[in-house]
Amino acid sequence: WSGKVSSEPFAAKVTMGGDDQPRRLKAKVEVKAAKMDTGEPKRDENMHKDMKVTGFPLIIGEMDTAFDKILSGGEAPSRLPFTLTILGNPKHVDARVSNWSLTRDTATFDLDFDLSLKKCDIKVPSVFLVVSVGDTIKLHATVKLVRATS
């Protein structure tokens, strides 16, 4: 099964060097955990309970990364390290970047990373002691960044 959720609007700051090349990326992205939706109301209810959305309403991704950690010898980013905070616990994530496109003032790309439920302290009970959720979930994000007008 799969699900969807959108982030809240956010700003990313790119610090440029004297040679007009990007030097650092800084951003904070927030997702309202209660908005996660698998299309199955009962499953969503259980997921929101397991994610403790009342006590921990936000999932937060924070990056403050030098561009040399993002670029791997090419002109397109290949990875994006960041801190993901779930249930109040920060975890290091190293996401893979693909489908990078930069045209004029818009950058689009996909991010993919795996996340261990156990390492995030998310406890998912089995259903009737038969069906259980695997520990590792695969996350995918499609990102669109648009340069702000000055």
Side-chain angles (χ1 to χ4, degrees):
W1 56 270
S2 65
K4 293 184 177 186
V5 67
S6 294
S7 73
E8 295 300 301
F10 67 95
K13 180 180 179 183
V14 176
T15 304
M16 304 299 281
D19 57 358
D20 204 32
Q21 293 297 310
R23 294 289 180 238
R24 187 159 213 83
L25 170 65
K26 188 171 185 171
K28 181 177 181 179
V29 180
E30 296 179 339
V31 171
K32 290 184 178 176
K35 288 189 174 183
M36 294 189 306
D37 180 13
T38 67
E40 180 65 43
K42 186 64 177 171
R43 181 173 35 222
D44 292 345
E45 180 183 324
N46 289 331
M47 176 178 58
H48 295 157
K49 187 173 99 182
D50 296 336
M51 294 285 299
K52 303 175 185 168
V53 300
T54 304
F56 300 96
L58 295 177
I59 298 169
I60 302 169
E62 293 181 277
M63 52 220 69
D64 187 0
T65 307
F67 258 80
D68 63 354
K69 301 257 193 232
I70 299 171
L71 301 172
S72 69
E75 293 183 17
S78 60
R79 56 187 288 271
L80 181 59
F82 66 96
T83 301
L84 184 68
T85 302
I86 297 180
L87 297 178
N89 298 316
K91 303 292 178 204
H92 174 76
V93 172
D94 197 11
R96 296 169 301 284
V97 175
S98 61
N99 301 318
W100 170 261
S101 174
L102 177 61
T103 50
R104 291 185 231 174
D105 292 336
T106 303
T108 58
F109 55 95
D110 293 330
L111 284 178
D112 291 281
F113 58 98
D114 296 341
L115 195 63
S116 164
L117 296 175
K118 184 177 181 179
K119 289 181 181 176
C120 292
D121 295 326
I122 299 171
K123 294 168 183 56
V124 181
S126 59
V127 179
F128 302 117
L129 302 174
V130 177
V131 178
S132 64
V133 174
D135 177 56
T136 301
I137 56 173
K138 297 186 178 298
L139 292 125
H140 174 83
T142 298
V143 181
K144 180 179 181 181
L145 301 174
V146 179
R147 186 184 314 248
T149 54
S150 328

